[in-house]
Amino acid sequence: MVVLRTVVVRSVAKEFLWQLSEVGVCRMPSQAKPRFVILYGSQKGQAESLAEGVAEAAEEQGLVAELSCLNQNEKYNLEKEHAPVIFIVSTTGDGEPPDNALQFVKRIKNKALSADHYKHLCYALLALGDTNYANFCNCGKTIERRLQELGAKQFYPTGYADDGVGLDVVVDPWIEGLWKAIKEALSKMASDRTGCFKGEAGDSPKKTPDSSIPDVQLNLLSITDHQNCESTRASVETVSKSPTAASSSASATQTAVSDLSPAFPAGSPGLASQSHDTASVSTSAQETQNGDTGVPHVALAASLMRSLPPLSESSLNVPALPPPYLDVCLQEADAVEQVVGPLIKETLHEVPVSKAVQLARGDSVKTALLLELDISAHQMTYQPGDSFDVFCPNQAAEVEDLLHRLGLHDQRNHQVHISLHKDTKKKGAMVPPYISPNISLLSLLTWCVEIRSVPKKAFLRALVEHTGDSVQRRRLQELCSKQGAADYNLYVRDPSLSVLELLAAFPSCSPPLSLLIEHLPKLQPRPYSAASSCLRYPGKVHFVFNVVEFPACPGRPAGRRGLCTGWLFDLINPVLVFPEKAESSGCPAVPKIHVSLRPNCFFRPPSDLSAPFIMVGPGTGVAPFVGFLQQREEERKENPEATFGETWLFFGCRHRDRDYLFREELEGFVSSGTLSQLKVCFSRDDQEDEAATSAVARPRYVQHNLLLNSQHITDILLKQNGYIYVCGDAKNMAKDVNDTLMEMIKTELQVDQLEAMKRLAGLREEKRYLQDIWG
């Protein structure tokens, strides 16, 4: 019945388009295709990659996509645009737009714009965010809200993709349904322009059915009925494409290997005989698992390299093969640029590490370090709350391993020449601008690309074409398929598997260097909050970090340290001062690192010295607040007659005697009157004490101490126009603090949940509830 419904709807749509062509609505030169516009805003490349993917897929849909970044004002003009516009935008920081979308957001926020400024505009929007952070998808929501206020009309429901659970969960079905929506929007816009529904073409009412009917049916099929009708719908779409047509394409379509296709059931010769380019699925993995009947099935376990039924026996929906777009060759050269440090140095400063101190005791669970940088030779002025980007290289041992794995170790000092692939079908293809034209292969893999990045599904799909073993090939297809989404998250995404670790698990996969350069993102700097004040330490800046540890897991036989924190630890280890020692031993060479200032105009102490403020920073989250309080103490000395608002700090850690960071300094702030209230808690000590003494439970986490001081906190925030700052872990602490603040407002004001949410949102909008959090 569902199939019949789909066929009927499509027949109506085809008849409708035929009628439009008869009256001249759709009449155009045979080579012309309907166009639409894609605009993206991207901080780390994910939104950009998705936008490029949509643009590339448009051609297969008989459409032309014009792709632009939101900061490329010369390439698009929304004031005169009458084609459908797709926005794909991410959110960064504390709900801020990406850098390349800032000016666009600022322009559309102009209050001088009239309410019908974009009344001609027809749009759809895909927003990327992470629910582990506050202001989920805030950039997308801001753009959408403002577009609607300016009269723009939405032709397709907005998608809110959550990187906390996997973007694909929303992105894949959103893009899948986008094509029908665009085509219907184009048809409707064409009909509106010609007025054919008003009888101008002389059609009778019977020949021009209400276009809203197929719209509703199509939406029901693609959204509401998705769970029940997925395999049936996929089968219909697959049958409509002949294997010959599919194999003639250089890249596979989304449905080349589909669910429950009656024409090509799982393991059938018809499917296996398709072209190499149509992502045919081998059944060797299934045969391997079931071939030896003497092995009981209970002994099998799913892993990165192996799946179990039903996945191992399913037909798969795999993504289209990304079109290659780079030609890469290696040449011997007399003068090859051996880079020592990041390539873009206009805003970078190479500064010495003047001090390195281990803050936590040696038996602490986490290794917390404080670094002092000497910035006196550079024009760098920072404020408490600002942060610094630290530029680190990929680990030398991992670069060596990757060179060996690619069979290029003997050519590591060769010059890399990169050019665009002739006749590439990739939209907006360009040679990566962050790779120098005269760079060695060793330098490229060390400083330019992030070899620790988690391989995206498109990368896995491309790796399939370079995998010789049929079992391994099948498994890579599963991991990048719609059916294998859970396995991808479990074995690749969640453990943060790197490309090197993935290649180690699939030894028959031998990708060319060009594929890695196409798919590996730019090596990004790591931001760290300033933990000092220029007033207290002129010409110096402090920052604090825990050495991140990634445990061993399937696909990673041995644990490893975080890229930047591990590199910093190794770099400063010779000059490291331990809590038991006053100074480091000997006079080792002073290490230097590359940094750039990253101002944060909002996460700063109130400009009004009389305004009270609250700081919540467990663990290394206390770092910026040490800078806040150093600044306040110096200001109190300079302005003894001024009125200063009260200050509260909520700090927590595991053990009082092992990882109570900055203990002496914080207690000194209390003694001097700089810090009005210091509330500390120790999650593990209290557990042990309670077990021994059966004492009344004491606060274990910072949110518990907030609750104990609920009346004072809500009074400061809601009656005294005070501020609250939260710094630290996004996934747990920041969420718990937010929920606790909501409960405090509900209790103290005697209001319901909705009103409490509004009050908290009001604090955010007024920039009096600020976060500096990380995953």
Side-chain angles (χ1 to χ4, degrees):
M1 181 62 69
V2 177
V3 176
L4 178 60
R5 222 174 118 198
T6 307
V7 172
V8 169
V9 169
R10 287 182 176 159
S11 297
V12 172
K14 288 180 180 178
E15 174 69 15
F16 171 63
L17 291 175
W18 178 83
Q19 290 172 6
L20 290 180
S21 66
E22 284 297 292
V23 298
V25 174
C26 297
R27 188 173 293 137
M28 59 185 70
S30 58
Q31 71 274 15
K33 296 179 181 179
R35 60 178 285 275
F36 68 98
V37 176
I38 306 175
L39 300 176
Y40 67 85
S42 185
Q43 189 70 23
K44 294 185 177 180
Q46 291 197 101
E48 180 180 2
S49 177
L50 287 172
E52 289 174 348
V54 172
E56 289 161 10
E59 187 173 347
E60 294 179 3
Q61 299 291 331
L63 303 171
V64 173
E66 296 181 4
L67 176 68
S68 302
C69 181
L70 281 168
N71 64 0
Q72 296 174 312
N73 305 325
E74 71 285 355
K75 295 182 67 176
Y76 68 93
N77 185 355
L78 294 186
E79 277 65 24
K80 297 181 179 179
E81 186 57 70
H82 289 279
V85 179
I86 313 292
F87 293 89
I88 301 179
V89 294
S90 61
T91 294
T92 188
D94 189 21
E96 302 300 318
D99 292 342
N100 55 20
L102 273 171
Q103 291 306 311
F104 173 79
V105 173
K106 185 177 180 180
R107 282 202 311 275
I108 64 174
K109 280 187 172 181
N110 185 349
K111 294 182 179 180
L113 299 177
S114 64
D116 62 353
H117 185 77
Y118 285 140
K119 68 177 182 180
H120 61 282
L121 199 64
C122 181
Y123 79 94
L125 188 143
L126 176 61
L128 311 184
D130 190 331
T131 49
N132 289 314
Y133 297 83
N135 297 319
F136 173 64
C137 288
N138 191 58
C139 177
K141 292 175 180 177
T142 299
I143 291 175
E144 179 168 44
R145 181 173 63 249
R146 192 60 183 140
L147 288 175
Q148 293 181 352
E149 289 172 352
L150 297 175
K153 295 177 180 61
Q154 185 183 51
F155 72 85
Y156 184 55
T158 296
Y160 298 102
D162 180 10
D163 201 26
V165 298
L167 296 175
D168 294 344
V169 174
V170 169
V171 169
D172 287 352
W174 191 88
I175 293 177
E176 185 178 347
L178 176 66
W179 304 115
K180 291 178 182 177
I182 289 180
K183 292 172 183 178
E184 291 165 9
L186 286 164
S187 297
K188 188 175 186 303
M189 293 166 76
S191 66
D192 288 346
R193 284 196 295 271
T194 58
C196 68
F197 289 109
K198 297 179 181 179
E200 295 179 16
D203 289 339
S204 68
K206 292 183 179 179
K207 294 184 180 180
T208 56
D210 187 348
S211 61
S212 66
I213 296 174
D215 287 348
V216 173
Q217 291 176 331
L218 285 171
N219 286 339
L220 284 171
L221 281 172
S222 62
I223 299 173
T224 310
D225 297 338
H226 182 81
Q227 294 291 331
N228 298 327
C229 307
E230 177 65 30
S231 60
T232 307
R233 182 184 54 76
S235 299
V236 173
E237 292 183 359
T238 305
V239 171
S240 68
K241 297 181 180 181
S242 69
T244 305
S247 63
S248 64
S249 172
S251 63
T253 63
Q254 184 75 21
T255 55
V257 187
S258 77
D259 295 0
L260 304 178
S261 170
F264 301 108
S268 72
L271 183 58
S273 64
Q274 290 185 41
S275 164
H276 177 77
D277 290 324
T278 59
S280 59
V281 175
S282 166
T283 58
S284 298
Q286 182 179 339
E287 293 166 5
T288 301
Q289 292 182 14
N290 299 328
D292 186 358
T293 57
V295 179
H297 285 281
V298 72
L300 294 176
S303 67
L304 172 65
M305 292 80 79
R306 180 177 59 214
S307 65
L308 293 179
L311 179 58
S312 63
E313 298 173 350
S314 298
S315 296
L316 305 172
N317 292 91
V318 299
L321 179 65
Y325 66 97
L326 293 179
D327 286 329
V328 178
C329 65
L330 301 176
Q331 293 182 351
E332 287 189 81
D334 295 332
V336 181
E337 185 177 0
Q338 295 291 357
V339 177
V340 181
L343 296 180
I344 304 173
K345 300 185 178 181
E346 291 79 1
T347 59
L348 296 189
H349 306 276
E350 188 178 21
V351 297
V353 178
S354 52
K355 184 192 294 185
V357 180
Q358 182 166 320
L359 297 178
R361 215 171 69 180
D363 56 353
S364 176
V365 173
K366 296 181 179 180
T367 302
L369 305 176
L370 178 143
L371 266 61
E372 179 183 82
L373 306 180
D374 185 350
I375 59 174
S376 56
H378 304 273
Q379 298 295 321
M380 298 175 69
T381 303
Y382 68 95
Q383 298 293 327
D386 287 349
S387 58
F388 285 79
D389 279 337
V390 175
F391 292 78
C392 69
N394 288 308
Q395 192 181 65
E398 292 178 13
V399 172
E400 288 290 305
D401 288 345
L402 185 57
L403 286 167
H404 281 293
R405 182 64 178 77
L406 297 175
L408 298 173
H409 190 264
D410 291 342
Q411 298 170 273
R412 63 189 180 278
N413 293 319
H414 283 37
Q415 188 179 50
V416 183
H417 290 276
I418 306 176
S419 59
L420 284 181
H421 186 60
K422 187 179 180 181
D423 301 325
T424 181
K425 295 182 179 180
K426 180 177 175 62
K427 294 286 185 179
M430 61 184 296
V431 174
Y434 46 85
I435 298 179
S436 169
N438 186 37
I439 193 171
S440 72
L441 176 57
L442 180 63
S443 297
L444 186 154
L445 294 178
T446 302
W447 287 101
C448 297
V449 293
E450 185 113 33
I451 65 175
R452 283 272 190 96
S453 66
V454 178
K456 299 288 190 295
K457 288 187 178 181
F459 193 6
L460 299 186
R461 173 64 187 89
L463 290 176
V464 170
E465 306 305 308
H466 304 279
T467 303
D469 182 83
S470 59
V471 175
Q472 295 175 23
R473 181 183 173 90
R474 161 75 193 201
R475 184 55 174 154
L476 285 172
Q477 288 171 329
E478 290 173 350
L479 291 171
C480 71
S481 71
K482 182 185 297 183
Q483 291 75 12
D487 275 23
Y488 172 80
N489 287 338
L490 182 62
Y491 299 116
V492 180
R493 180 181 176 274
D494 293 346
S496 298
L497 220 59
S498 71
V499 62
L500 186 59
E501 290 163 340
L502 188 80
L503 291 176
F506 296 90
S508 76
C509 182
S510 301
L513 176 62
S514 59
L515 195 69
L516 270 68
I517 297 175
E518 288 173 354
H519 287 272
L520 292 177
K522 175 185 176 183
L523 180 59
Q524 296 285 349
R526 273 54 173 175
Y528 296 94
S529 299
S532 56
S533 165
C534 285
L535 297 181
R536 172 69 61 85
Y537 297 101
K540 309 283 186 182
V541 63
H542 297 172
F543 68 92
V544 179
F545 62 92
N546 284 325
V547 178
V548 178
E549 300 283 351
F550 290 93
C553 66
R556 184 186 301 128
R560 56 173 164 83
R561 290 176 177 155
L563 180 62
C564 191
T565 60
W567 172 72
L568 286 171
F569 180 80
D570 292 338
L571 187 72
I572 56 87
N573 199 41
V575 298
L576 187 61
V577 176
F578 294 91
E580 303 82 21
K581 302 178 183 178
E583 295 293 339
S584 59
S585 58
C587 298
V590 177
K592 293 184 178 182
I593 63 175
H594 289 87
V595 300
S596 66
L597 178 62
R598 187 174 184 168
N600 187 333
C601 299
F602 297 112
F603 200 85
R604 289 178 178 173
S607 56
D608 179 2
L609 298 179
S610 65
F613 61 92
I614 301 154
M615 300 161 284
V616 182
T620 55
V622 75
F625 303 135
V626 173
F628 279 33
L629 293 169
Q630 288 177 359
Q631 181 98 345
R632 174 56 60 95
E633 191 163 68
E634 296 303 316
E635 289 169 341
R636 284 167 59 89
K637 292 176 183 177
E638 294 176 0
N639 304 280
E641 305 300 322
T643 301
F644 290 87
E646 62 179 315
T647 55
W648 290 59
L649 174 63
F650 291 84
F651 173 78
C653 61
R654 284 180 169 83
H655 301 281
R656 180 189 293 271
D657 60 347
R658 298 184 201 174
D659 41 21
Y660 187 170
L661 309 184
F662 299 102
R663 177 176 181 176
E664 291 184 6
E665 190 165 5
L666 294 178
E667 291 175 347
F669 289 137
V670 176
S671 299
S672 69
T674 301
L675 181 58
S676 308
Q677 297 286 340
L678 173 61
K679 303 294 181 182
V680 297
C681 54
F682 308 99
S683 59
R684 302 302 185 268
D685 286 347
D686 291 341
Q687 270 187 308
E688 294 163 6
D689 293 344
E690 289 161 21
T693 65
S694 300
V696 177
R698 286 175 286 181
R700 291 179 58 195
Y701 301 110
V702 287
Q703 63 267 25
H704 300 152
N705 260 334
L706 283 169
L707 273 175
L708 291 177
N709 296 274
S710 177
Q711 185 176 349
H712 293 291
I713 300 304
T714 52
D715 185 72
I716 288 172
L717 294 177
L718 302 178
K719 295 181 180 179
Q720 300 180 42
N721 290 324
Y723 295 71
I724 183 166
Y725 302 85
V726 180
C727 183
D729 169 50
K731 293 185 177 180
N732 299 303
M733 183 276 299
K735 280 185 176 181
D736 292 339
V737 167
N738 188 80
D739 292 344
T740 300
L741 290 173
M742 194 113 53
E743 289 301 315
M744 289 163 55
I745 293 173
K746 283 173 60 179
T747 302
E748 298 299 329
L749 299 186
Q750 294 295 299
V751 296
D752 60 17
Q753 181 85 359
L754 181 60
E755 182 61 26
M757 290 174 66
K758 288 180 180 178
R759 295 294 184 99
L760 211 54
L763 292 176
R764 289 188 187 278
E765 290 176 6
E766 295 169 15
K767 301 298 182 184
R768 293 196 294 117
Y769 176 14
L770 298 158
Q771 294 179 313
D772 181 4
I773 56 180
W774 55 85

